[in-house]
Amino acid sequence: MLILLSKQPERKIAIVSESYALVIKCVSSKKSESKPLCSIELTPKKQLANQGYKKLSNYKIEGFIGLVEINGLIFIGTITSKSKVAQPIPKQTVNKILGIEFFCLNDSLWDFVEIDSSGYPAINEDPSAGGSITGGNMPGSDFHETFPRHPCFEIRKLLSNGSFYYSSDFDLTSTLQNRGYSDHTLSSDNFEEEYMWNSFLMQEVVTYRNRLDENDRQILDEEGFLTTIIRGFAETFVTYVRQLKIAVTIISKQSWKRAGTRFNARGVDDDSNVANFVETEFIMFSSQYCYAFTQIRGSIPVFWEQDTSLLNPKVQITRSVEATQPVFDKHFTKLNDKYGTINVVNLLSTKSSEIELSQRYKKHLQQSEKFQLGIDVFLTEFDFHRETSQEGFSGVKKILPLVMDAILNYGYFSYDVKEKKIISEQQGIFRTNCLDCLDRTNLVQQTISLAAFKLFLEDFQLIKPNAYVDDDNFVSQHNTLWADHGDQVSQIYTGTNALKSSFSRKGKMSIAGALSDATKSVSRMYINNFMDKGKQQNIDALLGRLPHQKPVQLYDPVNEYITAQLDTLKDKFISYSSANILVGTLNANGISRNADLSKWLFPIGDKFIPDMVVLGLQEVIELTAGSILNADYSKSSFWQQLVSECLSQYGEKYMLLRVEQMSSLMILFFVKADKAKYIKQVEGSSKKTGFGGMTGNKGAVAIRFDYGGTSFCFVNAHFSAGANNVEERRSDFESIIKSIIFSRSKTVPHHDSIFWLGDLNYRISLANEEVRRELAAQREGYIDRLLKYDQLTQEINAGVVFKGFKEPSLKFRPTYKYDLGTDIYDTSEKARTPSWTDRIVYRGSNLHPLAYSDAHLLISDHRPVYAAYRAQVMNINEAVKLDLQKKLYKDYKEAHPDLPDVQVGNLIDIERRRRESLSPPTGVTLLDLDSPSTIKPHQENSSSDLSSAFSSPSSNSLSNIPLKARKNSPSVVETNNRHRLPPPPPPASRNGAAISSPPQPTSRGASTSILQNADLSKSSSLSSFSSFASVNDSNTVKKTLNDDDDALTMKDVHNAPAPPKARKPLPPGFSDTILQPKNSSDNSRASVSKTTPSPPPSRLKSPPSLTSGVTPSKIEPLKPKNKSVTPPPVKPKPEGFEKEKIDPVTPKQTGRGNLPPPPPPSHSKRAESATSTPERETHENETSTTTPAAPKDKPHKVPPAVPAKKAGIEHLGMDSWKPLTPK
């Protein structure tokens, strides 16, 4: 293909194939002036004549990978250089991407300009050219200062690093067993989106394709305009098994769902996607049979992290068992549905750094209610380090007795090339993991792969049973493939080759190999600390995960019409619910004794039960040099237990969703159990500012999450101390807000609702004696008089820190510093000036403060501070929205009858489909292939082609075999008697049945050896599985593949994704009286939307936030300190209510063939899972004047007993908030 540019009459770019052209141009739109739009048109090539087109680049375009928008410029991504690296079967070729170019659609600055390796225009070194830029006329050697770096340079560099692959012949995102064989031209209707790394770039192009009629879709596919790229590894070797020539291939695909570098992507996310999830398929092809065996690897599916700054990073599990189990179950349910029975091979060691994670893994497997351990999922525990500590890495063969039963049960995929039919299929899969899922995992997967391959060769009489073949060339090539594969996957995840690769290649570990591993370990440490953050940002940019990054918008009048109408009808599918939040901060002063926190967490008892509790703690350890350098992370468990016990006193169950600790700083995030399902994307981050950023005694820890459609961020900070160090505190704030970065490059300001809490160390700028005199006298207005000299109030009013933040009216006494255990301010020799060091400020128009005060707890030299808020949370009913889209499209179609039919689900709101990460979109596979009319004739005499490698005058030549199409459910095909050399008799003792036979129930009794480390009864059959021996390089046969292969069509079908369900409403706060902000640097306050959502079809039950016996509120609104802030109007009460009465929420209830081939091995069918996921119902949020009805308890749950209330609590009412009744 070629890429052409025309400026007549407007700028447009055409990607031209043999017969057609894809013309792309920018268009203007009244609706989107800030973001450029583009249009795409498929047209015959001859129509480009006389339109002023000329070549935009001398590169041959190998594929079109999509569109990306950067800073208002639209770029077209193309593959310009590739090399053929693999050919699993004839006429199916895998290419490695070596070069990518991006051409700007709406700016001529980058036309005809070649880019060098640093991203700047290349300089022509020819003196006669005057040092000009290649292809341009811009002179001068100092152009780097005036000419910008190419905006797509980082993405271009990432895609060209040799880890990305594509195919123009078949669906590279699926396995050979799933895609099968087909004699039809490949259609872009089905693909596994999980492995399609350019899905974000292709998003709008897919939308365009779905609008075309069937003929145009076929043209778009066959002309090869759309290309799917994967990230992973592919390689083919040609070798021999005895006298039979075979081709062995590995194709490996990494999922992009939780893509990232080693320490930036760990564990699982809220959508059950795990880090470093890789599907690896080993394929063998000969003139007689085809064989394939698939394995997967992936991080342990719990929420855990590691700190890159430590030499031996400690594993930190960041979410409780109860909060993790639903996500864990979802992950394995997906694997069961796709692969069948799962055998978990856990290679973690029993040493302290890994044992906690391994125990948590096993606990989740045992207590799951969605699958049954021993039926749907099996566990094989193999401590790799212990088992290989005595005899070296050759000890890895000890795993074979533990997994051999599973290998026999799961079987493999095999295909009869002569008869063109499937013989057997793989019925289960091994899921292997270590900590990084790299070095140990690769060696164990290699061992299992070789065992399964030998089993196939024995079954088909290609080798003798128990024959010693470890010195054979095919074993050497198999091991080399796996070693190359391990290096590539390790390069993607860590930036270095795999450890232990020397043993993988040669079957023994040399001194040079050990030294190489040590060098790689040091390199990994450097890369993880200094390079991975930049690499992670480039990955996020490619996947569209940067803040506010959106796909290139396709101009469409229908889309604009529907979008505009939806904006006017948003009240019908957008609803708002309320969530009660309690935020607290405490400088713990290193305390480690138990204490009753009720006065802090329940200031008015059960009259206010928060939905979410976020607590920031400072100085959880003593601030000594030793404790700072060796932080005691056991304090985390102490505070988790202390807070959890206090929160459960009123019968409500709270779940810990996140704890983030950095040295002496800690933040805890608890949520009600019935609200946990609405919390997504919980993450943490930290920043050290102590001693110039070297220690964590000062700094901040932060968490962020999404509640419904609203994002929240909480920052717990400890600023520099000292009465006069205002500038240092200002510097701390600036450093923290710039350095706190979450995944997808989200920063603190990117969130809808932000809370900043902690020991901010701002003091009162008055003489100590004067402050103490005012506090002792307690004359009327003394708090307000002291606040005039409060440094934080002065800084916010000046707009130098916390811009846009507000603080509720402050009516409590200074919280620092007291004599420990007393109400007396500091009487020590230093006699610190009493000050409000402990503060909570917020930003967000959806946040309404209800209370702000200190708690009378004498456990530290600081007083705890709490703030109660009601947050308005947005919920989108996707089902109602989709129905409206369809109706609007129908109306538009009636008004424009000549409009072609369009799939509305693909036409509108494609971004929603990306959010449904569990359900890949249907009707779209972007595969690059040539039209049959344009395919070059096959070169029979090409020595570099896989077909020619097997070609001979006999009928065994692969190039002469038209493979038969395979359907999703292959029917039974009986074969005729025929003769083949060598004629293998049926294998003995394995009562196998052909795939056409009914599935035989598999006895799980034999499989218990997987968990019990029992020896395999057929110990003699394992004698051939010895350590890998090195093979003379002269025996290695490696074939280079050429470019002249015909296309072979594959097909894989998925179901359409279901629209997401609406979220459950949250109870409102206990009061409609809103505390007014004390100050605001922007002197403005956004009003809160009060739209009334339309009632959806059904709703979830919602427990009331208050008991029926709540005392009527007598709270008077606090007056803002800043006169320029206008308080919002108070929500009017329904008629018949008392003046300050609360309006509670009323929730509604709502035979392998004839001779001579042998029969295949037996394969077990996994038990059907009896579990089912309850459908999430829609909801509405409304206010009622009746007493809330108690929600129905679930039949299988028994509510905990409510303990007796504390003395005096039952007398508290809404007027008991301390800040609301100042003396």
Side-chain angles (χ1 to χ4, degrees), residues 1106-1127:
L1106 302 175
T1107 62
S1108 59
V1110 178
T1111 306
S1113 175
K1114 299 180 181 179
I1115 306 173
E1116 295 181 4
L1118 301 182
K1119 305 302 180 182
K1121 294 295 295 179
N1122 192 334
K1123 299 298 183 180
S1124 62
V1125 178
T1126 304

Side-chain angles (χ1 to χ4, degrees), residues 408-636:
L408 296 175
N409 287 333
Y410 298 164
Y412 43 75
F413 173 79
S414 60
Y415 180 82
D416 192 321
V417 174
K418 295 288 187 180
E419 296 296 327
K420 301 176 285 294
K421 71 169 189 177
I422 298 168
I423 302 174
S424 64
E425 288 189 333
Q426 186 175 340
Q427 302 293 335
I429 201 163
F430 289 94
R431 185 196 190 280
T432 310
N433 72 271
C434 51
L435 196 65
D436 298 322
C437 300
L438 293 176
D439 315 314
R440 289 175 279 178
T441 296
N442 199 73
L443 189 54
V444 169
Q445 283 192 332
Q446 174 183 340
T447 304
I448 295 175
S449 174
L450 183 59
F453 188 37
K454 288 181 178 178
L455 191 64
F456 161 78
L457 296 177
E458 291 178 2
D459 286 345
F460 284 77
Q461 298 278 316
L462 298 178
I463 62 173
K464 295 180 180 180
N466 305 324
Y468 182 81
V469 294
D470 288 358
D471 289 336
D472 286 10
N473 183 260
F474 77 88
V475 174
S476 174
Q477 298 291 51
H478 171 277
N479 296 342
T480 302
L481 274 176
W482 275 99
D484 292 346
H485 166 260
D487 286 344
Q488 180 69 73
V489 175
S490 180
Q491 281 282 354
I492 294 172
Y493 199 48
T494 68
T496 71
N497 286 348
L499 309 182
K500 309 173 181 64
S501 61
S502 175
F503 179 84
S504 296
R505 295 179 191 279
K506 303 177 181 179
K508 59 183 179 181
M509 197 68 178
S510 62
I511 296 178
L515 293 176
S516 175
D517 286 354
T519 303
K520 294 171 189 173
S521 298
V522 174
S523 299
R524 285 182 180 182
M525 187 183 307
Y526 173 82
I527 292 171
N528 295 335
N529 282 279
F530 300 104
M531 300 177 65
D532 276 357
K533 287 186 178 180
K535 291 167 62 177
Q536 184 70 51
Q537 187 168 1
N538 297 335
I539 293 173
D540 291 340
L542 173 64
L543 299 176
R545 291 175 170 176
L546 296 180
H548 311 305
Q549 189 178 7
K550 294 182 179 180
V552 173
Q553 295 298 309
L554 197 64
Y555 172 74
D556 176 29
V558 184
N559 189 17
E560 290 205 352
Y561 167 78
I562 296 178
T563 302
Q565 294 298 313
L566 282 177
D567 190 56
T568 63
L569 299 173
K570 61 183 179 181
D571 294 349
K572 295 184 179 297
F573 58 87
I574 294 180
S575 62
Y576 295 90
S577 57
S578 297
N580 292 336
I581 305 175
L582 181 76
V583 186
T585 178
L586 169 65
N587 186 312
N589 194 29
I591 62 170
S592 58
R593 66 180 185 276
N594 289 328
D596 185 2
L597 305 179
S598 299
K599 293 181 180 179
W600 186 28
L601 305 183
F602 295 101
I604 57 172
D606 61 356
K607 306 305 185 296
F608 178 70
I609 304 295
D611 297 312
M612 295 178 284
V613 177
V614 180
L615 303 177
L617 302 168
Q618 310 86 41
E619 297 188 22
V620 294
I621 60 175
E622 295 182 5
L623 296 186
T624 62
S627 62
I628 291 174
L629 294 177
N630 300 284
D632 182 9
Y633 285 89
S634 65
K635 289 289 185 179
S636 173

Side-chain angles (χ1 to χ4, degrees), residues 683-960:
E683 302 173 39
S685 183
S686 61
K687 170 61 180 176
K688 298 177 181 178
T689 61
F691 294 97
M694 297 176 61
T695 62
N697 62 313
K698 296 292 188 293
V701 288
I703 62 169
R704 61 89 48 208
F705 57 88
D706 295 331
Y707 191 122
T710 306
S711 59
F712 289 83
C713 181
F714 294 79
V715 182
N716 172 34
H718 196 180
F719 287 174
S720 298
N724 299 319
N725 292 334
V726 178
E727 289 292 336
E728 286 78 357
R729 288 188 276 274
R730 189 182 303 171
S731 176
D732 288 344
F733 171 81
E734 295 293 340
S735 177
I736 291 169
I737 202 169
K738 290 178 181 178
S739 302
I740 292 290
I741 301 176
F742 304 99
S743 68
R744 306 184 181 184
S745 300
K746 287 189 179 74
T747 60
V748 174
H750 285 137
H751 295 82
D752 301 321
S753 309
I754 306 170
F755 296 87
W756 200 297
L757 54 140
D759 183 357
L760 306 185
N761 258 320
Y762 285 101
R763 310 302 174 92
I764 298 176
S765 299
L766 277 177
N768 192 1
E769 296 78 7
E770 188 172 350
V771 174
R772 290 175 182 259
R773 190 182 310 115
E774 284 280 1
L775 293 173
Q778 299 188 27
R779 295 189 300 270
E780 183 178 356
Y782 76 101
I783 296 291
D784 292 336
R785 287 194 295 274
L786 291 177
L787 278 173
K788 293 179 181 179
Y789 300 95
D790 173 61
Q791 293 175 349
L792 178 58
T793 302
Q794 294 171 347
E795 291 281 281
I796 293 180
N797 288 339
V800 292
V801 294
F802 295 106
K803 294 180 181 179
F805 283 81
K806 306 177 181 69
E807 183 180 31
S809 301
L810 193 154
K811 295 295 182 182
F812 52 91
R813 294 166 65 83
T815 57
Y816 171 85
K817 177 183 181 182
Y818 291 90
D819 290 342
L820 190 61
T822 72
D823 286 321
I824 302 172
Y825 284 108
D826 188 14
T827 59
S828 67
E829 181 180 352
K830 294 185 178 180
R832 279 89 165 181
T833 302
S835 301
W836 288 286
T837 58
D838 308 280
R839 309 289 275 272
I840 302 173
V841 296
Y842 71 97
R843 192 178 83 178
S845 59
N846 65 319
L847 300 175
H848 313 297
L850 303 172
Y852 186 39
S853 182
D854 64 340
H856 191 255
L857 288 180
L858 309 182
I859 58 178
S860 173
D861 55 358
H862 290 246
R863 289 289 178 265
V865 174
Y866 65 85
Y869 293 86
R870 177 191 300 157
Q872 189 179 54
V873 181
M874 181 180 69
N875 301 290
I876 301 176
N877 190 323
E878 297 288 355
V880 174
K881 182 178 180 182
L882 184 59
D883 289 340
L884 285 173
Q885 291 172 349
K886 292 179 179 179
K887 181 180 182 301
L888 290 170
Y889 173 74
K890 183 179 179 181
D891 295 343
Y892 191 92
K893 182 71 183 299
E894 290 176 354
H896 304 80
D898 56 337
L899 184 71
D901 288 334
V902 180
Q903 298 176 5
V904 179
N906 293 322
L907 175 65
I908 303 298
D909 199 14
I910 305 300
E911 183 61 29
R912 174 179 64 80
R913 190 173 59 185
R914 286 179 58 80
R915 293 195 298 267
E916 297 175 12
S917 58
L918 299 184
S919 302
T922 66
V924 191
T925 299
L926 311 177
L927 299 174
D928 180 13
L929 70 162
D930 294 326
S931 172
S933 61
T934 61
I935 296 177
K936 297 180 180 180
H938 182 70
Q939 302 295 330
E940 293 290 347
N941 59 352
S942 175
S943 61
S944 61
D945 183 76
L946 180 59
S947 298
S948 64
F950 293 91
S951 63
S952 67
S954 69
S955 61
N956 291 341
S957 174
L958 297 187
S959 59
N960 297 324

